[in-house]
Amino acid sequence: MHHVDTIVVGAGVAGLAAARLLAQAGRSVVVLEARDRVGGRVWTDRTDGLVTDLGASWIHGIADSPVAAAADAFGMRPVEFTVGGYQPDSRPIAYHGVDGERLTDAAAQAFVADIHAVDAALTDVVARSEPQASYRDVTDAALAQQGWDAERTQRVREYLEHRSEEQYGAWIDDLAAHGLDDDSIDGDEVVFPDGYDILPRTLAEGLDVRLEHGVSRIAWSSGGVTVTTDRGEFSADDAVVTLPVGVLKSGDVAIDPPLPGPVAGALGRLEMNAFEKVFLRFPAKFWDDGVYAIRQQGPEGRWWHSWYDLTALHGEPTLLTFAAGPAAVETRDWSSEQIVASVLAQLQRLYGGAVETPTHVHITGWQDDPFARGSYAYMTVGSTTADHDDLATPIGGVLHLAGEATWTDDPATVTAALCSGHRAAENVLGRAVPMAQLWAPAS
């Protein structure tokens, strides 16, 4: 049996951050990773010379962001691409009405003003909501305060449904009322045309990372931790476990004894989402110039309602849309051809015969990834924001959970993963460690 000071389970950003800081502190560390690569849900595909981030893509707000600082130190080339958390404006958006025709500027501005009016009311409604309230409950209450007619109300209602799906990959009735409390952006948002995976690959440099080591059991006691993999057992004084919520809840990895009540309770109130990316590269651009997104209203947009123009990032005409929430669930077993046909049917409603057959298509499959079981976690009805931090409560002085779902301030992001790994390392060491050590040059 191989013995080290600390075992880190998972070579995603959280695990690599924890391992890097612990190794810098002089501890012997081994990172066990089931995949054949590092990065976890940060995954850049480079097939045919094309760079496509299949998992994490954005830094949602670079102001005071440790990920932005790390990216800068690691030489990652950023390009500003501010999505704004599915906001209705702030960037040029081509809105199309129920009939498929593009809205006039005046009609689009009126629609955006309605959304802002509901958002203003939502702040107080969410604050006063009951513990078991869903995001549907609070948005319906805010809509009711407006006194609009049915048509006007429905247009904003469906926008709020799409926001829930695109932000958390969850249907609005399943998301907690406070599920979008973190929906704020501080500073520009950026993407990395050379690939987000530069971040985890650089964090992993110099670490003892054992790829293709699938973990099946984590046994812990006051005396330490033993981790069973398909390539043998490893023991340590303590462990940092960065398994996604979906894997923790699946039972694929036994934790013995089971997680204690407060931690298990928090885990039970979080759920992995259904959220897939659909990249479409075309021979020529057929959509509007000067816009960064295309959106359509009405029942035709039930699944495919928003497309983002990535042309400037990829150097060729490219649209990104999402199968999110119900769309991801219902198309899960569809072939790539079926999904593309469904998406193109909606684009053809808007742009007619100008829509050509895509030259390249890439559709993610995070729901079926056994090492993720979804893209990221969300708060189910009955959950509170404290559940994120509660999930990271140190266990028995030897077991520490980390990952995007364990960070309250900005969950479901690479920032959350990085910060949670930093916190886990501090808990193991029993002292504060500067975050900047993660990207400091080797001495």
Side-chain angles (χ1 to χ4, degrees):
M1 184 184 296
H2 188 70
H3 185 86
V4 293
D5 293 330
T6 302
I7 296 169
V8 175
V9 179
V13 168
L16 295 172
R20 189 176 175 96
L21 292 172
L22 292 171
Q24 288 174 347
R27 293 180 70 86
S28 59
V29 182
V30 64
V31 182
L32 304 176
E33 170 57 51
R35 304 180 190 275
D36 60 0
R37 60 173 178 81
V38 300
R41 285 166 282 163
V42 177
W43 181 20
T44 305
D45 180 82
R46 292 185 169 81
T47 304
D48 299 327
L50 303 172
V51 177
T52 306
D53 277 317
L54 304 179
S57 299
W58 277 269
I59 296 179
H60 293 291
I62 60 175
D64 299 319
S65 166
V67 178
D72 182 60
F74 296 162
M76 296 169 63
R77 178 171 63 96
V79 170
E80 188 269 333
F81 195 89
T82 300
V83 180
Y86 201 69
Q87 297 305 311
D89 49 10
S90 81
R91 293 291 298 270
I93 299 173
Y95 279 107
H96 292 253
V98 177
D99 60 1
E101 295 298 315
R102 184 167 176 178
L103 297 183
T104 64
D105 289 345
Q109 289 168 6
F111 174 59
V112 168
D114 284 351
I115 294 168
H116 285 311
V118 172
D119 279 343
L122 260 178
T123 301
D124 183 58
V125 174
V126 171
R128 294 185 290 103
S129 63
E130 297 295 324
Q132 293 297 318
S134 69
Y135 196 60
R136 168 77 79 190
D137 294 330
V138 292
T139 54
D140 274 356
L143 281 166
Q145 293 180 12
Q146 309 307 314
W148 297 330
D149 62 41
E151 174 69 15
R152 187 177 178 185
T153 299
Q154 179 57 23
R155 297 287 75 79
V156 179
R157 177 179 290 114
E158 69 193 14
Y159 178 89
L160 296 167
E161 292 170 349
H162 298 330
R163 174 188 284 172
S164 175
E165 293 165 345
E166 281 215 5
Q167 288 296 92
Y168 275 97
W171 182 236
I172 193 168
D173 293 284
D174 300 326
L175 183 68
H178 289 271
L180 291 177
D181 280 0
D182 65 301
D183 185 25
S184 60
I185 304 298
D186 191 6
D188 287 341
E189 296 176 89
V190 300
V191 293
F192 300 99
D194 301 320
Y196 214 143
D197 67 340
I198 296 171
L199 177 69
R201 288 194 287 112
T202 307
L203 287 173
E205 290 177 359
L207 297 177
D208 181 3
V209 180
R210 310 291 180 92
L211 299 177
E212 299 181 284
H213 278 60
V215 171
S216 59
R217 184 171 181 266
I218 301 170
W220 61 276
S221 69
S222 58
V225 180
T226 299
V227 176
T228 303
T229 78
D230 51 8
R231 298 197 181 192
E233 289 190 336
F234 295 77
S235 65
D237 300 334
D238 42 53
V240 176
V241 177
T242 67
L243 298 172
V245 161
V247 177
L248 286 171
K249 297 184 75 167
S250 71
D252 289 349
V253 179
I255 297 180
D256 184 22
L259 297 174
V263 178
L267 178 63
R269 289 184 292 273
L270 298 173
E271 195 63 68
M272 213 64 173
N273 68 2
F275 186 87
E276 309 295 354
K277 293 181 174 182
V278 181
F279 295 90
L280 305 166
R281 289 180 167 88
F282 294 94
K285 184 177 176 180
F286 56 81
W287 53 93
D288 310 81
D289 288 326
V291 302
Y292 98 107
I294 306 157
R295 288 186 181 149
Q296 68 166 331
Q297 301 174 329
E300 289 285 348
R302 181 170 64 98
W303 287 356
W304 317 115
H305 49 77
S306 302
W307 295 264
Y308 300 90
D309 185 0
L310 305 186
T311 303
L313 308 181
H314 294 293
E316 59 182 299
T318 305
L319 291 178
L320 166 65
T321 190
F322 302 106
V329 173
E330 294 190 46
T331 63
R332 184 173 182 175
D333 297 326
W334 285 23
S335 68
S336 175
E337 290 76 15
Q338 287 175 295
I339 292 174
V340 171
S342 181
V343 174
L344 292 183
Q346 295 306 316
L347 285 171
Q348 288 160 356
R349 283 190 71 242
L350 311 184
Y351 296 102
V355 181
E356 299 183 72
T357 301
T359 56
H360 293 85
V361 174
H362 212 137
I363 303 170
T364 62
W366 292 107
Q367 296 170 91
D368 296 316
D369 185 327
F371 309 127
R373 294 182 174 267
S375 291
Y376 44 91
Y378 69 92
M379 296 166 52
T380 63
V381 174
S383 178
T384 68
T385 52
D387 285 333
H388 295 293
D389 280 338
D390 288 347
L391 188 60
T393 304
I395 301 166
V398 298
L399 202 60
H400 307 268
L401 301 188
E404 53 86 9
T406 70
W407 191 258
T408 293
D409 290 341
D410 197 11
T413 65
V414 177
T415 298
L418 192 77
C419 291
S420 73
H422 171 251
R423 175 178 58 191
E426 289 189 324
N427 286 339
V428 169
L429 295 171
R431 59 180 174 84
V433 179
M435 173 79 83
Q437 283 188 201
L438 280 170
W439 54 85
S443 58

